[in-house]
Amino acid sequence: MEHSPTYKAVTSSRSQLILNEPFFGVLSLKLKVRERDDCKTASTDGTHLDFNAKFVEKQDASQLLGLIAHEVLHCANNHMTRRNGRDPTRWNIACDHAINHILLDCGFVLPDGGLHDPQYRDMSAEAIYELLPEDAGDPCKWGHVTDADNSAIDVDAGQLEVDWNLAVQQAAEIARQAGKLPGSIERLVDKLGKATIDFRDHLWPFFAATTKNDFTWRRPHRAYISEDEYFPSMHDEGPGTYVVAMDTSGSTYNQIHKFLSEIVAIH
C-alpha cells in the first residue's frame, strides 16, 4: 500500500523521536498511524494516532514532533480511559493543561494555540477539571484525546491501561539507559508508577478464583460413613499446574526477592 507524503512525514518524525527523544519515540510506536479526513487535526484513542493531512502539512518539523509527543503523553497518562462521564470538551482542556507544560519543559515546540496555563502546573487532569469553569471556552484546536471505547476495534479499557503503564516503564528505562530521559518525565514516571495497582492485588484474585473450597456430595465424609450417615466432605482443589514467568531485567532487579517470595506463597 502506497502511503501519502504526509503519512510518511508523520512516520519519519516518529523515527526522529526514537533517536532524539527515545521515551516519546518508543511509545509512539504503540499507536497505529491513520490518515483520516474526518479528523480535523490530530487525535488519539490510545490505540491510534489519527491525523488530518491538511493540518499536518501546515506544521513545521519541530511542531510535528511536538504534536506526536503531545498525543503520546495523553496515552502515557491514560487520558483515554479516565474521563469517567466528565464533559468531553472540559476534559480535553484539562488534559492539555496537564501535559503541555511537561512537553515544553522537555524542549518541544507545540503547534500554535496550545494550552499551558502555569497555574495548573503539576496538577492532574482530574484536579484541573474541577477548577475549570463550566463554560471553560474553546478547547485547543489540535491534539484531542477520545475515549478508548470509541475505537473502531474492540478494546478492553482496563487492559489498555495496563499495557500503557507497562510500556511507559519500559520506555523510561530505555531512555534512561541512553541518557536521554528528561527530568520532568522522570518525575512523571515516578508519579505514574506510584499510582499503579500493586502486582499482588492483580495476582492473588487470579489464584483465589481457580481454587475451589466447597462441600461435595461425591466424596462422603469418612468420619460418618461407618455410622451409615452420608455427609458431604470438603472439596479442596488447588489451581493445578501453573507457570510463573519472572522479569529479571535491570529495571526489576530490586523487585526479584519480592517476586520469589510471592511464588513460594502461591505454591
Side-chain angles (χ1 to χ4, degrees):
M1 178 180 177
E2 184 66 24
H3 292 295
S4 70
T6 312
Y7 181 98
K8 293 178 180 178
V10 172
T11 56
S12 177
S13 294
R14 291 201 305 179
S15 299
Q16 188 175 341
L17 280 174
I18 292 174
L19 295 174
N20 300 327
E21 296 288 349
F23 175 79
F24 294 93
V26 169
L27 290 179
S28 71
L29 296 180
K30 283 183 61 64
L31 296 172
K32 300 175 183 178
V33 179
R34 298 190 305 187
E35 183 176 338
R36 296 179 57 178
D37 292 336
D38 60 343
C39 176
K40 294 182 179 180
T41 57
S43 68
T44 185
D45 58 5
T47 303
H48 304 95
L49 171 59
D50 295 329
F51 71 92
N52 180 285
K54 292 182 179 179
F55 172 76
V56 168
E57 289 168 359
K58 296 177 182 178
Q59 313 305 314
D60 61 30
S62 59
Q63 288 175 318
L64 182 53
L65 291 175
L67 175 66
I68 296 173
H70 174 92
E71 299 296 5
V72 164
L73 213 49
H74 273 315
C75 299
N77 283 273
N78 285 314
H79 287 163
M80 65 284 182
T81 59
R82 287 166 48 188
R83 186 168 67 86
N84 293 329
R86 296 179 178 87
D87 176 75
T89 299
R90 285 177 64 196
W91 179 243
N92 262 274
I93 293 174
C95 291
D96 282 355
H97 280 302
I99 65 174
N100 280 344
H101 71 87
I102 299 175
L103 295 168
L104 294 173
D105 288 347
C106 291
F108 283 104
V109 177
L110 301 177
D112 295 337
L115 304 176
H116 45 86
D117 191 323
Q119 69 173 310
Y120 301 128
R121 175 177 286 273
D122 297 328
M123 293 178 62
S124 68
E126 287 85 354
I128 296 171
Y129 183 93
E130 293 302 319
L131 295 177
L132 291 172
E134 291 189 11
D135 55 344
D138 294 331
C140 179
K141 301 297 183 183
W142 52 268
H144 299 157
V145 58
T146 60
D147 293 345
D149 57 5
N150 284 341
S151 174
I153 61 175
D154 291 333
V155 172
D156 182 306
Q159 185 60 50
L160 188 63
E161 281 195 7
V162 172
D163 291 345
W164 272 101
N165 290 343
L166 177 60
V168 165
Q169 300 296 330
Q170 292 174 335
E173 184 61 26
I174 291 172
R176 190 179 292 114
Q177 292 178 1
K180 294 183 177 181
L181 184 65
S184 56
I185 295 299
E186 182 89 62
R187 292 189 293 274
L188 173 65
V189 172
D190 288 343
K191 186 183 299 183
L192 293 175
K194 292 177 182 177
T196 58
I197 298 174
D198 191 291
F199 75 91
R200 286 164 291 199
D201 292 337
H202 284 289
L203 194 64
W204 279 102
F206 168 76
F207 282 98
T210 57
T211 303
K212 299 178 181 178
N213 293 290
D214 202 352
F215 290 103
T216 176
W217 289 95
R218 292 185 178 181
R219 297 176 182 176
H221 200 297
R222 293 182 180 179
Y224 296 95
I225 285 292
S226 60
E227 300 177 15
D228 292 330
E229 292 183 303
Y230 196 90
F231 285 98
S233 63
M234 179 65 75
H235 176 57
D236 186 1
E237 179 180 324
T241 303
Y242 59 86
V243 176
V244 179
M246 184 170 69
D247 181 2
T248 59
S249 63
S251 62
T252 64
Y253 181 78
N254 293 328
Q255 300 289 321
I256 289 178
H257 68 286
K258 293 182 180 179
F259 295 166
L260 290 172
S261 65
E262 289 301 316
I263 293 172
V264 172
I266 291 166
H267 183 70

